């Protein structure tokens, strides 16, 4: 069966292209031990653009995408954030992106395999129709059952289901590691039981939190921390003016402080952070994608004793001096993923959120006319909005009044 959509390919000049694509529908499984199913047909309705898409496009330009293509194909239909319509079930759904022959997609082992719709080994959402494992078409809340048109504001919010689920997983990891890392300190300090100390440590690890980089992933992580740890002090670090839209919005959502680093060197940045926090950080989350993150945290000692460094950026090489690292008892972790339960929770949170306010639209006509130009000059250019979305099939969208 054929469809029309955009797809990545290994091509120096046209790494992304719009046109007719031959669809495949191999059997896939959600988790190890579960049955293999052919996909059911679904129509992508609204999609968001993710930075991962942009990186995949650049890989195609460098001829490095072959391992990401579906088996037997020389292209990958992009897109992994959005809402689809499932005609056989008369409902809207969010596609659970990662599946495969693994017990836990956040902890796959060497002998396990995985796929990701729109990212790795399986075609995604930027097309008129596609096939998805029926167990991976997640339900919207009950109040949206029976709708034939989805409010645009809700569609915009749900385009964040994938990254917000990842942020919920980050919270889980930070809590798990923070609890295990520091509960013995709290047990000695408070002379309490292990269970009581673990609860204290889980909360205390966010006492002074730095989110280095102001994008949607950093905002989502901060939002998750605030929802679950109301007494946390959270500080965003970025280069944007404090009165710009994304800074104002982020501060409101996460009840956070903000430091603009424009004009500051790394040492001055570190000093300002420590001054605002009232001490060195207990949690440092790197989301900027730059090597400045680890230098501020370790070389300039923003990360305090017994602190945790969450390396959430893709690209930077994290380095540290082993002497203070060991004696200050730092912990570094990096893990980017989520499970189904995280995405289901994200859906419930997002439908009642304000995140539609930061999604700006590009028309389908403009995008498909030259997707390469759109990626480089509209969606991921300097001055681009926090999030760009696209209505792919307008007959399933209702404009908000």
């Amino acid at each position: 069966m054929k469809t029309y959509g955009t797809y990545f390919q290994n091509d120096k000049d046209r790494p992304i292209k719009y046109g007719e694509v031959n669809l495949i529908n191999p059997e896939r499984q959600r988790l190890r031990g579960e049955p293999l199913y052919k996909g059911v047909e679904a129509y992508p309705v609204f999609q968001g653009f993710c930075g991962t898409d942009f990186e995949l496009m650049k890989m195609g330009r460098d001829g490095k995408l072959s391992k990401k293509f579906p088996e037997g194909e020389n292209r990958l239909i992009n897109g992994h954030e959005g809402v689809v319509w499932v005609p056989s079930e008369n409902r809207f759904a969010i596609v659970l992106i990662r599946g495969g022959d693994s017990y836990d997609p956040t902890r796959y082992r060497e002998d396990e395999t995985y796929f990701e719709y729109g990212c790795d080994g399986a075609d995604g959402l930027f097309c008129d129709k596609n096939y998805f494992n029926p167990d991976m078409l997640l339900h919207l809340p009950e109040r949206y059952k029976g709708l034939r048109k989805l409010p645009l504001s809700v569609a915009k919010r749900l385009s964040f289901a994938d990254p917000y689920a990842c942020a919920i997983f980050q919270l889980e990891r930070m809590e798990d590691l923070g609890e295990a890392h520091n509960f013995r300190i709290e047990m000695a300090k408070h002379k309490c039981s292990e269970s009581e100390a673990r609860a204290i440590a889980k909360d205390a690890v966010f006492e002074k939190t730095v989110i280095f980089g102001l994008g949607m992933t950093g905002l989502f992580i901060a939002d998750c921390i605030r929802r679950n740890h109301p007494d946390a002090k959270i500080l965003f670090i970025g280069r944007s003016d404090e009165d710009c839209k994304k800074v104002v919005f982020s501060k409101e959502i996460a009840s956070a402080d903000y430091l603009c680093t424009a004009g500051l060197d790394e040492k001055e940045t570190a000093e300002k952070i420590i001054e605002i926090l009232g001490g060195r950080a207990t949690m440092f989350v790197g989301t900027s994608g730059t090597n400045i993150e680890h230098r501020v945290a370790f070389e300039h000692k923003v990360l305090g004793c017994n602190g945790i460094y969450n390396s959430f950026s893709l690209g930077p090489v994290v380095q540290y001096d082993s002497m203070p690292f060991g004696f200050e008892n730092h912990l570094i972790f990096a893990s980017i993923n989520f499970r189904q339960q995280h995405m289901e929770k994200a859906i419930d949170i997002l439908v009642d959120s304000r995140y539609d306010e930061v999604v700006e639209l590009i028309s389908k006509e403009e995008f498909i006319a030259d997707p390469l130009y759109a990626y480089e000059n509209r969606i991921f250019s300097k001055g681009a909005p926090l999030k760009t979305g696209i209505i792919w099939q307008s007959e399933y969208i209702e404009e908000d009044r």
Side-chain angles (χ1 to χ4, degrees):
M1 187 174 292
K2 296 184 182 296
T3 191
Y4 281 87
T6 59
Y7 54 90
F8 296 133
Q9 59 183 359
N10 283 324
D11 189 301
K12 181 180 179 181
D13 299 316
R14 305 300 296 179
I16 184 170
K17 185 177 179 181
Y18 176 79
E20 190 176 55
V21 188
N22 183 55
L23 287 178
I24 59 173
N25 189 16
E27 291 184 331
R28 303 187 188 277
Q29 64 187 131
R30 179 176 56 178
L31 293 171
R32 175 166 283 198
E34 294 188 353
L36 289 158
Y37 288 123
K38 287 272 191 179
V40 299
E41 190 175 78
Y43 304 149
V45 172
F46 186 95
Q47 293 97 285
F49 294 87
C50 174
T52 300
D53 300 335
F54 195 41
E55 293 303 316
L56 289 170
M57 188 196 79
K58 289 189 285 187
M59 288 175 64
R61 175 169 277 154
D62 295 335
K64 297 178 179 179
L65 262 186
S66 298
K67 291 183 179 180
K68 300 289 187 181
F69 295 147
E71 187 175 354
E73 302 297 318
N74 61 1
R75 86 294 172 280
L76 172 69
I77 298 174
N78 57 300
H80 58 279
E81 299 179 353
V83 186
V84 302
W85 172 258
V86 187
S88 61
E89 300 179 21
N90 290 312
R91 69 177 178 93
F92 293 101
I94 300 295
V95 180
L96 177 64
I97 296 304
R98 176 174 279 208
D101 186 22
S102 59
Y103 291 112
D104 182 340
T106 70
R107 297 286 192 282
Y108 67 91
R109 304 180 308 191
E110 292 85 353
D111 64 335
E112 297 178 337
T113 61
Y114 71 91
F115 67 88
E116 291 182 329
Y117 288 116
C119 294
D120 199 335
D123 289 323
L125 302 180
F126 275 85
C127 52
D128 295 343
K129 60 185 174 183
N130 207 343
Y131 298 97
F132 303 99
N133 182 313
D135 287 343
M136 299 175 69
L137 292 168
L138 305 185
H139 287 259
L140 273 59
E142 186 68 23
R143 66 182 182 272
Y144 297 103
K145 186 177 181 180
L147 289 184
R148 294 282 304 191
K149 286 179 175 285
L150 193 65
L152 177 58
S153 60
V154 177
K156 287 180 175 180
R157 295 167 195 161
L158 289 173
S159 68
F160 292 115
D162 181 289
Y164 200 96
C166 200
I168 294 174
F169 174 56
Q170 291 302 304
L171 177 70
E172 177 185 280
R173 289 285 282 156
M174 289 185 288
E175 288 179 336
D176 287 352
L177 292 170
E179 173 187 323
H181 187 52
N182 287 327
F183 81 89
R184 295 188 186 280
I185 299 171
E186 303 297 347
M187 195 160 56
K189 179 180 177 181
H190 296 281
K191 296 180 172 52
C192 60
S193 68
E194 179 176 328
S195 61
E196 291 172 319
R198 284 182 175 273
I200 294 170
K202 180 188 286 190
D203 193 54
V205 73
F206 300 107
E207 182 182 344
K208 297 181 180 70
T209 298
V210 172
I211 308 289
F212 202 97
L214 188 60
M216 292 310 300
T217 51
L219 172 54
F220 290 153
I221 292 172
D223 187 9
C224 288
I225 293 171
R226 177 61 67 211
R227 288 172 182 270
N228 292 274
H229 301 275
D231 295 329
K233 186 172 182 63
I234 301 172
L235 175 62
F236 287 116
I237 311 297
R239 297 186 59 81
S240 301
D241 292 337
E242 185 152 6
D243 58 355
C244 78
K245 179 180 177 180
K246 73 175 182 178
V247 173
V248 172
F249 182 82
S250 299
K251 287 171 63 179
E252 289 177 358
I253 292 295
S255 299
D257 295 317
Y258 176 71
L259 172 63
C260 174
T261 62
L264 300 178
D265 61 26
E266 293 174 11
K267 182 176 183 294
E268 292 168 333
T269 296
E271 290 171 348
K272 283 284 188 182
I273 292 172
I274 293 171
E275 178 185 337
I276 295 170
L277 289 178
R280 295 167 70 189
T282 55
M283 174 67 68
F284 190 109
V285 185
T287 68
S288 73
T290 69
N291 285 318
I292 298 172
E293 296 173 351
H294 71 85
R295 292 198 294 266
V296 167
F298 297 114
E299 290 181 29
H300 299 287
K301 296 188 175 298
V302 163
L303 187 63
C305 291
N306 309 308
I308 296 178
Y309 185 91
N310 180 351
S311 180
F312 195 77
S313 296
L314 293 177
V317 176
V318 177
Q319 295 177 320
Y320 57 88
D321 183 338
S322 60
M323 181 69 79
F325 175 80
F327 279 96
E328 294 192 350
N329 197 34
H330 288 148
L331 173 63
I332 299 175
F333 82 93
S335 186
I336 301 174
N337 219 305
F338 58 84
R339 297 188 299 278
Q340 180 172 331
Q341 70 190 80
H342 300 130
M343 182 169 268
E344 290 170 338
K345 187 172 182 179
I347 292 168
D348 288 338
I349 291 172
L350 287 169
V351 292
D352 294 317
S353 75
R354 293 176 50 197
Y355 285 114
D356 57 296
E357 296 176 25
V358 297
V359 181
E360 297 183 19
L361 298 180
I362 185 172
S363 73
K364 182 179 178 183
E365 292 72 23
E366 179 184 357
F367 177 62
I368 66 177
D370 192 342
L372 178 61
Y373 179 88
Y375 265 74
E376 293 183 329
N377 297 281
R378 285 289 313 277
I379 301 164
F380 297 106
S381 62
K382 184 178 181 180
L386 267 173
K387 186 72 169 182
T388 301
I390 185 169
I391 300 173
W392 199 263
Q393 310 216 40
S394 59
E395 61 267 36
Y396 295 103
I397 292 290
E398 180 178 58
E399 295 283 347
D400 292 277
R401 295 171 184 168

